[in-house]
Amino acid sequence: MALAVTFLVGVCGPAQAQTPLKLGPSGLQLPRYVSLKSDRVNLRQGPGTDYPTAWVYRRAGLPVEVLEEFEAWRKVRDAEGTTGWILSSLLSGRRTALVLPWELKPDAPRPQVPLLQSGSTHAGPVAMIEAGVIADIQSCDGEWCYVAIDSFKGYLEQTKLWGVYARETVM
């Protein structure tokens, strides 16, 4: 049986809305973002090895959103909206995010976004980051996320990332 409690998202203030928190059988929040542990992860049509493989992910660190839990299986959704079931041991609580995945178009140049020195649109760039790159989330304050991408560290606007919720804080 899932429990329902409330929590505050982002910073507290007079206009702050309360969002219900649903806990899965594992005791963890649903939905939530996690990442893939391995370079080869099967996405199955149902929660078990008897179900056919619908897709094979080949990108460790890829963020997915956990929607449901059933025993050792997690129903997930990827950035393209594909859903299916993954064995929980193939998922990590490490937070990652995709940069502008909705901007990726076949046979088109990849858009870029500046990785900034601080959480301000007036900050100087550290590097230019292509859409589709995986960022390791270090922290988010509800507007900006401090991320690591390869050897670069800096800030990206939270709205440019798939793998964190709007106004979510990550410590």
Side-chain angles (χ1 to χ4, degrees):
M1 172 190 279
L3 302 173
V5 296
T6 58
F7 74 107
L8 296 176
V9 177
V11 292
C12 296
Q16 186 67 46
Q18 289 192 353
T19 305
L21 173 66
K22 178 182 171 187
L23 298 180
S26 68
L28 299 173
Q29 177 183 332
L30 289 176
R32 69 179 179 276
Y33 285 105
V34 297
S35 58
L36 302 182
K37 277 187 184 177
S38 171
D39 278 331
R40 189 179 194 294
V41 174
N42 290 336
L43 181 76
R44 295 194 176 269
Q45 292 179 5
T49 55
D50 293 341
Y51 289 91
T53 299
W55 187 257
V56 179
Y57 293 106
R58 296 193 180 272
R59 196 170 177 194
L62 188 73
V64 293
E65 184 180 28
V66 176
L67 305 172
E68 296 178 37
E69 298 178 341
F70 178 75
E71 295 176 356
W73 293 86
R74 303 297 179 256
K75 184 175 186 182
V76 302
R77 175 176 39 222
D78 66 21
E80 294 178 359
T82 302
T83 61
W85 294 84
I86 294 177
L87 191 59
S88 63
S89 63
L90 298 173
L91 300 173
S92 169
R94 182 178 72 127
R95 294 295 298 271
T96 63
L98 283 171
V99 178
L100 299 172
W102 50 87
E103 295 290 332
L104 294 172
K105 309 287 187 245
D107 303 321
R110 288 178 176 238
Q112 295 185 341
V113 61
L115 181 65
L116 301 174
Q117 294 172 352
S118 67
S120 165
T121 54
H122 303 294
V126 173
M128 294 302 290
I129 307 300
E130 284 188 347
V133 166
I134 295 175
D136 283 313
I137 297 173
Q138 309 296 302
S139 65
C140 297
D141 65 10
E143 287 185 51
W144 293 89
C145 290
Y146 182 64
V147 302
I149 302 170
D150 292 326
S151 62
F152 298 101
K153 289 188 177 184
Y155 291 83
L156 290 171
E157 288 179 87
Q158 207 156 316
T159 58
K160 295 182 179 177
L161 298 172
W162 191 91
V164 290
Y165 296 107
R167 295 182 301 277
E168 178 185 13
T169 58
V170 177
M171 302 297 174

